Amino acid sequence: MTTSTEPQAGQFILDAVAEDLKSGRFKYVRTRLPPEPNGYMHIGHVKAWWIDYNTAKAYGGELYLRFDDTNPAKEETEYVEAIKEDTKWLGIQWAKETYASDYFDRLYEWAVRLVKKGLAYVDDQSPDEVSATRGTLTEPGSNSPFRGRPVEENLDLLERMKKGEFPEGSRVLRAKIDMAHPNIVMRDPVMYRILHALHHRTGDKWNIYPMYDWSHGQNDSMEGITHSLCSQEYIIHRPLYEWFLEQLGEFKTRQIEFSRLNLTHAMMSKRKVRKLVETGIVKGWDDPRLTTLRGLRRRGVNPEAILEFVRAVGETKNDSWVDMSLFEAYIRDDLNLRSLRRMAVLRPIKLVIDNYPEDRVEEMEAVNNPEDSSAGMRKIPFSKVLYIEQDDFRETPPPKYFRLFPGNEVRLRYAYFVKCTGVVKDPATGVATEVHCTYDPATCGGDAPDGRKVKSTIHWVSARHAVKAEVRLYEQLFTAEQPDEGEGIDQVINPNSLEVLSGCMLEPLLADVRPGDKFQFERNGYFCADPDGQPGKPVFNRTVTLRDTWAKIEKGAKKDGKA
RNA sequence: UGGGGAUUCGUCUAGUGGUAGGACAGCAGACUCUGGAUCUGUAUGCCGAGGUUCGAAUCCUCGAUCCCCAGCCA
């Protein structure tokens, strides 16, 4: 999969911005990345971040990081820091860090301006009354009895709301637009609500806080943002966005909407992810099964892979569900090029080489990364008793199985050809405990001087040199493609989403790893050292498996057998 | 007859009046000291019906389906 030569997927926003520059509507490009600091960011956000970042970068513009902290009840500084950290990790750079709360004073002045123009009023109705008079999707709303309030009275009331003279819910400031507007957003939307809450930055200074609609566009304008890029659900807010700036006579940012990213077998709803964390279905916001950025990072996914993936998905207005396998392809692509190869036996069984000297140890030369010659070579100890994967031996081989079975010869990677001579079983259970074989000393290094071939090469770890480790295997968290749909999350949880293997045997070099170190365990997949590991007792997470043609053949055979 | 958005292989996405292309997934094969990687080949698609045109995914008309909106959330 090449990247830069691929035709660019969806770029209607890039095109629109180019037109704006050409027409002179804007002389420069400035976008903003507007997270609400109320939770951890997930891969769905990355699409938006990338579009904001890429659009600015494409035209020599800049990106502001603006925290949308207009609701003190939900927002916390902790999340601000987490979001900044995640953004940096992704490699997205911002020119300026701002907060919606930076503009509370100016925004209030602008509100006063609208009140003076007779375009906003204080409504004394209760929330229920406001809701009841809004009308429905098909029926118009009705005017508030306070709609005709004189300007002076509105000004006085607004000032006293600000000072904190009224209880929460008792009054709001509303824009005076049209209660019969076919677009519900335009039916006298609430601009300020009373909230006697402590704000993470402004403390107790304010008793009224702006709604999204009243804050966001005005902040965009104040910051000279040229393009306010957001997801489709804001399309219907655009008339209001434009109405405010028009009435105010301020700098007019252009809002452009794109469709958000949906990934199959993943959970993007913040509320539902929170539930997964709280009920203990996952172990935290950084659980490697989650598509939160912290989860992906711990899982071992590189930021470059995430960015390449969202770039490939592109920017369109189509509702879409991107298949997880596309994301995995980008993860593999990235990891394949940069991961050091190591040998690790996940489900070990002993392989005894009967004709190999008891105390002999050889150092075998191995390639670190066939995709990158600069990664060099390493040595791996080899001896009489090895561990191999249980799956690499079958007493009675299925069709097309080329690994170890009695009488068959295979190559031990970087070592010798060995021929299987038999298997030792536990007399009580009948379970295989040891595979036996003989080796051909002439095949040292892995090639036969007589030119004979083997159909399979298997990996191994010397038993007396092996490092024991825990390895965590992950599968998709959900069995359903769209677990967000409907209720009953418990029903679509994949019971096999985590499998912990405790007796894994690794080559000696793997004893000393730091959390975040990534490797390809040959023939098994890509793995990343987890922070739970101790020196000498590593813990690895499986990021993603290798493409497994054999698994496919076996699965196909099973299906045919049944049919 | 509430308003607004969308519809191209299984999935995502190019194409904007001139041979429907790419990626992932699938299938078949080559190669291989990873059944990995790489390479080759291959099947599958314009929501529907009319119309305009020498020619329509693209323009027009009518229809279908899906998504969003009735927070003092963002």
Side-chain angles (χ1 to χ4, degrees), chain A residues 93 111 509:
Chain A
Q93 293 150 1
L509 238 35

Side-chain angles (χ1 to χ4, degrees), chain A residues 319-335:
Chain A
D319 293 339
S320 66
W321 280 87
V322 180
D323 203 293
M324 184 65 90
S325 67
L326 213 217
F327 184 36
E328 288 180 348
Y330 277 89
I331 296 172
R332 283 194 191 98
D333 217 43
D334 169 80
L335 256 13

Side-chain angles (χ1 to χ4, degrees), chain A residues 17 20 30 80 115 143 217-219 256 265 273 280 288 293 305 321 328 342 345 376 400 418 480 489 493:
Chain A
V17 173
D20 287 344
R30 181 136 77 220
V80 170
V115 172
N143 287 169
Q218 284 43 257
N219 292 166
I256 304 176
H265 304 286
V273 173
L293 288 185
W321 280 87
E328 288 180 348
R342 293 290 183 261
V345 176
K400 290 186 187 162
V418 292
I489 296 220
I493 294 283

Side-chain angles (χ1 to χ4, degrees), chain A residues 342-351 386-392 458-463 466-471 501-507 510 521-524 527:
Chain A
R342 293 290 183 261
M343 293 213 272
V345 176
L346 268 25
R347 294 181 169 90
I349 184 171
K350 272 187 180 162
L351 176 70
L386 310 172
Y387 287 112
I388 61 169
E389 298 285 350
Q390 290 167 19
D391 213 35
D392 285 343
I458 66 173
H459 61 279
W460 49 270
V461 169
S462 167
V467 175
K468 207 170 162 187
E470 175 177 317
V471 174
L501 266 23
S502 55
C504 305
M505 298 296 177
L506 318 182
E507 69 168 86
L510 255 8
F521 291 174
E522 292 210 17
R523 303 210 302 135
N524 268 316
F527 292 79

Side-chain angles (χ1 to χ4, degrees), chain A residues 84 336 501 559:
Chain A
K84 282 161 68 174
N336 175 45
L501 266 23
K559 214 179 274 170

Side-chain angles (χ1 to χ4, degrees), chain A residues 187-227:
Chain A
R187 319 236 260 233
D188 289 12
V190 173
M191 295 166 64
Y192 279 112
R193 77 282 216 187
I194 296 170
L195 248 32
H196 301 297
L198 224 49
H199 187 276
H200 74 120
R201 299 191 92 229
T202 61
D204 62 359
K205 175 176 176 184
W206 292 88
N207 294 288
I208 55 173
Y209 290 90
M211 299 289 290
Y212 167 86
D213 281 316
W214 172 236
S215 174
H216 198 94
Q218 284 43 257
N219 292 166
D220 284 341
S221 178
M222 291 172 187
E223 291 188 333
I225 301 296
T226 56
H227 299 273

Side-chain angles (χ1 to χ4, degrees), chain A residues 345-399:
Chain A
V345 176
L346 268 25
R347 294 181 169 90
I349 184 171
K350 272 187 180 162
L351 176 70
V352 181
I353 308 170
D354 292 323
N355 60 338
Y356 194 85
E358 196 74 38
D359 297 321
R360 188 161 167 203
V361 175
E362 289 182 81
E363 296 282 320
M364 299 306 186
E365 281 267 310
V367 173
N368 274 329
N369 183 355
E371 305 292 329
D372 175 11
S373 55
S374 72
M377 308 283 287
R378 71 185 187 284
K379 287 193 183 345
I380 310 171
F382 180 88
S383 63
K384 182 184 178 77
V385 180
L386 310 172
Y387 287 112
I388 61 169
E389 298 285 350
Q390 290 167 19
D391 213 35
D392 285 343
F393 168 78
R394 298 289 173 90
E395 196 173 4
T396 48

